[in-house]
Amino acid sequence: MALLNDLISRTRLEIGDGPIQFTTTLTGDGVTKDFYADVKPLDALYLTVKVNGVVKAQPTDFTVEEGIGVVHFVTPPGLNSTITISGTHYRYFTTAEITKFVNTAVLQHTYHRSDKDRKSTRLNSSHVKRSRMPSSA
């Protein structure tokens, strides 16, 4: 049985949306909290954010809007501080978007389906539940 991560990887491979490494260097002004990486969409799971060489923690120090490539700091980095954002981005979709596509496709393709033992396939959240269908009289 394919796992969700396998389906996501396969989908990315099929559409040419493989991971791309990047590094963006910006300068703080002591006021601005929101910084755009040079790329989007980002993968927040594989993102490293540093201010003056010190690694910042997510969500304690910053949050990420993956789809638009923005890092939001809780406290603005200081005047003339060096902000480095590095990690993985993709050409087209965030992991959350592909997860939604895959889950939707599985739901659509298993709706009202049953196997040879008349077990219907129902999805609950992110896993498949099998249940016995009533036998016909």
Side-chain angles (χ1 to χ4, degrees):
M1 176 188 290
L3 299 175
L4 181 58
N5 284 342
D6 296 332
L7 295 172
I8 291 169
S9 294
R10 179 64 184 196
T11 301
R12 285 200 187 282
L13 179 66
E14 291 291 327
I15 64 174
D17 193 22
I20 303 165
Q21 300 303 307
F22 78 96
T23 299
T24 300
T25 303
L26 305 160
T27 303
D29 62 8
V31 177
T32 304
K33 290 183 175 184
D34 306 327
F35 293 87
Y36 286 85
D38 293 334
V39 295
K40 62 182 179 181
L42 304 177
D43 188 337
L45 186 62
Y46 299 105
L47 196 68
T48 301
V49 176
K50 297 179 183 178
V51 176
N52 292 329
V54 177
V55 176
K56 298 299 177 179
Q58 187 180 177
T60 307
D61 300 317
F62 70 93
T63 58
V64 180
E65 280 188 76
E66 293 177 308
I68 61 173
V70 177
V71 171
H72 302 283
F73 284 95
V74 173
T75 304
L79 180 63
N80 296 322
S81 59
T82 301
I83 302 155
T84 307
I85 305 168
S86 59
T88 302
H89 80 94
Y90 297 97
R91 290 177 62 191
Y92 305 118
F93 302 108
T94 65
T95 299
E97 289 170 326
I98 291 191
T99 299
K100 182 177 179 181
F101 298 155
V102 169
N103 284 336
T104 300
V106 171
L107 281 170
Q108 290 174 346
H109 286 74
T110 59
Y111 185 73
H112 284 296
R113 300 279 176 124
S114 62
D115 63 13
K116 65 181 174 85
D117 296 325
R118 299 192 48 79
K119 292 180 181 173
S120 67
T121 302
R122 278 190 266 154
L123 286 164
N124 181 7
S125 300
S126 61
H127 65 280
V128 176
K129 283 189 171 180
R130 312 267 301 162
S131 64
R132 192 106 174 127
M133 289 181 61
S135 55
S136 42

